[in-house]
Amino acid sequence: MADAAGPPVPEAARPAGPRTAGSRTAGSRTAGPRTAGPRTAGERTTAADADAGAREVHEADRAAGAEGAIGTDRAEGAQGTHGTDGTHGTHGTDGHDPNEGNDGNDGNDGPAAHDGGDAPGRAPADPGSMFRNAYALMLSTGVSAALGLGFWVVAARYYTEEAVGQGSAAIAAMKLLASITATTMIGAVVRYVPRAGRGTARLVRRVYGASSLVVCAASLVFLATLGLWGDSYAPLGGLVPGLVFTASCVAWAVLTLQEGVLTGLRRSFWVPIGNAVFSVGKLVLLAVFAAALPVLGVFVSWAAAIALSVVPLGWLVFRRLIPRQAAAEGGRAPLRYADIGRFMAGDSVGSLFSLAMINLLPVMVAVRFDAAHNAFFYAAYTVGGTMEFMAINMASSLTAHASYEPSALAAGVRGALRRMTVLLVPAVLVIVAFTPLVLTPFGGAYASHGTTVLRLLALATLPRVVVELYIGVLRVQGRTGMLALVQGAMCLLTLGGAALLMGPTGISGAGTAVLGSMTLVAACAAPGLRRALRT
């Protein structure tokens, strides 16, 4: 699962703690008492004056890497005696000083505080970190794909087609339910974690807690209505299978959000490591459970392996990476949860559409066809989804990088398009040319029934690049209304097209619907992406 060294930790220039305007130091100079009346140049002190002398103090403090006593000490993160947590940062008229740039007025912070612009005490983003993080996420996708391929090959060899179909249906349902929160929250996680500063741990804990409650409730509703979902889900009936399923849904949501946290922290190189541990673990458990759990072994091995990644990486995130960011980024103005809530209100609508499109499509196949045909489709969908997530990973890295430093957006989009062309086009051509060979390890029946759908899904990843990068741009810009419109169009076209085409063309109809919808939405998104390149 989830590179470059982060921004340097600011020097401890002076002890933190409450200070008053009369006792503050600026370098080695102290503020002496003042008397009313005219002052000479020699009498001017470095204390905070209500007139032009205050400006000199602010400038002297900026040179020392810290703000004045009024507001937040960005080097140490200590609060001044006036203002709170840097959100007010005003005394007299300082909050309106055009030279301050990052002192807001009653919480209306400037762009440096909330839009990721450069701020005192913070190093600019490394221009290459976006692509290193994107490559780490792609490596994670590749590791998951390679080991995932081995997982389904072993499953096809040691389990019946019905057991593989039922196991893949349970896994698809688990992902669907977990994504109710994982998909709707991950956009906000990737956008706001880079700028959370000292509030990062609190933000992540709240996200994890809210996700777990919602996913647990959704899982219970699903299990209560299990009879409505078809025979493929019958093995989940009963208390123990139900408890295992619910726990796996909650854990999968945390696992997905954890990857978003690592991306936001710009430490994505941990993502492929965690995914490798998870993928190897589920492969080993699959073989172990083949005899003991001939029906549920496919699903249980997947679910049990989640803990192998979530637990150690969760420790790393909370004990090492978040404290490191808090120390380096403590000078940022604290996040306002009202802003996050407004962003999520729009972003979550679009994310729900994306959730339905990605996870509901295999569920539709499972409901419409028998377990064997569901297995054929799911194998092709797994391979095709690997290339699709290359585009999604690049867009996630773009969002995190440009949220940290918005001025890098245009350059990031240009670089992402170039790199995706170099990486993805050859991969798609190879898949399309050698599809039967790619599916042969699953068995002859998989190659016979899944070749067409895999070719269609592979071709659909090319227009998906344009769509996903445009979605990344919209997240950085905070245009959640347009984001919801784009993702809603993708979802309705894909699922609606699949519902119409699966009848006459079988499981290949789902692939045709994906390719057609992605091509149409990409054509509509291209002008917006072109405008972002000019900014």
Side-chain angles (χ1 to χ4, degrees):
M1 267 175 24
D3 126 357
V9 178
E11 297 180 5
R14 56 176 183 257
R19 297 166 301 170
T20 63
S23 62
R24 185 183 51 151
T25 64
S28 61
R29 298 169 296 174
T30 60
R34 300 197 316 262
T35 58
R39 295 173 298 166
T40 67
E43 292 172 333
R44 178 170 294 176
T45 72
T46 58
D49 295 329
D51 53 16
R55 187 75 50 84
E56 293 180 6
V57 175
H58 280 297
E59 295 301 320
D61 281 347
R62 281 177 183 276
E67 289 182 17
I70 325 279
T72 303
D73 182 337
R74 292 190 180 270
E76 292 293 327
Q79 297 179 12
T81 57
H82 302 281
T84 57
D85 292 334
T87 56
H88 290 66
T90 60
H91 182 69
T93 60
D94 285 348
H96 300 286
D97 187 346
N99 293 323
E100 295 299 315
N102 49 22
D103 286 336
N105 181 23
D106 286 334
N108 297 320
D109 299 326
H114 283 283
D115 293 336
D118 294 335
R122 180 172 70 84
D126 178 3
S129 66
M130 170 185 159
F131 301 113
R132 288 194 294 273
N133 279 281
Y135 294 150
L137 294 173
M138 291 179 192
L139 176 61
S140 173
T141 300
V143 168
S144 298
L147 296 176
L149 179 65
F151 178 88
W152 292 110
V153 168
V154 172
R157 298 295 184 185
Y158 289 95
Y159 293 80
T160 65
E161 292 178 352
E162 288 72 19
V164 173
Q166 290 170 335
S168 62
I171 291 169
M174 176 195 71
K175 291 181 176 180
L176 174 64
L177 293 168
S179 295
I180 291 174
T181 57
T183 301
T184 55
M185 291 181 172
I186 199 166
V189 167
V190 174
R191 186 173 192 263
Y192 285 102
V193 163
R195 62 179 71 179
R198 295 184 181 276
T200 305
R202 182 170 61 252
L203 172 63
V204 174
R205 282 195 298 267
R206 290 185 177 184
V207 168
Y208 284 3
S211 170
S212 299
L213 290 174
V214 172
V215 170
C216 183
S219 301
L220 294 177
V221 171
F222 173 79
L223 292 172
T225 60
L226 201 60
L228 303 176
W229 297 93
D231 294 338
S232 293
Y233 299 98
L236 296 178
L239 178 61
V240 174
L243 290 175
V244 172
F245 179 79
T246 301
S248 68
C249 291
V250 171
W252 188 261
V254 172
L255 176 68
T256 305
L257 290 169
Q258 188 169 258
E259 293 183 2
V261 171
L262 289 167
T263 302
L265 291 170
R266 300 174 304 287
R267 295 294 181 269
S268 296
F269 65 86
W270 288 106
V271 175
I273 296 173
N275 262 345
V277 172
F278 163 69
S279 298
V280 171
K282 72 182 180 182
L283 185 59
V284 172
L285 292 174
L286 180 68
V288 170
F289 292 148
L293 298 170
V295 177
L296 281 174
V298 174
F299 172 71
V300 173
S301 60
W302 188 295
I306 297 173
L308 300 177
S309 178
V310 168
V311 173
L313 281 186
W315 181 89
L316 176 71
V317 164
F318 283 102
R319 301 293 294 178
R320 291 291 183 268
L321 301 184
I322 287 179
R324 191 177 301 164
Q325 165 158 302
E329 299 291 323
R332 283 187 180 270
L335 295 175
R336 294 192 295 260
Y337 282 91
D339 292 341
I340 300 176
R342 281 191 294 270
F343 177 86
M344 288 185 60
D347 184 65
S348 61
V349 174
S351 297
L352 284 172
F353 283 125
S354 178
L355 156 69
M357 181 187 68
I358 293 173
N359 293 301
L360 193 55
L361 184 60
V363 173
M364 290 174 62
V365 173
V367 170
R368 183 145 191 168
F369 299 98
D370 59 31
H373 280 83
N374 181 51
F376 303 147
F377 173 79
Y378 201 80
Y381 196 64
T382 299
V383 177
T386 299
M387 293 181 293
E388 174 183 280
F389 274 95
M390 290 176 67
I392 295 174
N393 291 336
M394 180 63 80
S396 294
S397 185
L398 173 66
T399 299
H401 185 80
S403 294
Y404 184 82
E405 189 169 353
S407 61
L409 178 59
V413 173
R414 281 191 294 270
L417 285 171
R418 286 194 301 269
R419 286 163 174 79
M420 291 307 296
T421 300
V422 172
L423 293 172
L424 198 56
V425 172
V428 169
L429 293 177
V430 169
I431 292 291
V432 170
F434 301 102
T435 303
L437 292 178
V438 173
L439 292 175
T440 295
F442 293 94
Y446 288 83
S448 175
H449 292 277
T451 292
T452 300
V453 67
L454 178 53
R455 282 175 173 159
L456 293 168
L457 292 173
L459 290 171
T461 59
L462 297 178
R464 185 70 181 266
V465 170
V466 175
V467 176
E468 290 299 330
L469 289 180
Y470 185 53
I471 288 173
V473 169
L474 293 175
R475 280 204 171 103
V476 172
Q477 296 173 341
R479 298 172 57 194
T480 54
M482 179 59 71
L483 189 151
L485 181 63
V486 170
Q487 292 178 303
M490 275 198 305
C491 173
L492 296 177
L493 289 171
T494 298
L495 299 184
L500 292 174
L501 295 173
M502 283 193 299
T505 62
I507 60 174
S508 297
T512 303
V514 172
L515 175 59
S517 64
M518 291 302 157
T519 302
L520 182 57
V521 175
C524 296
L529 195 61
R530 201 159 42 237
R531 284 193 295 272
L533 291 170
R534 301 194 189 104
T535 59

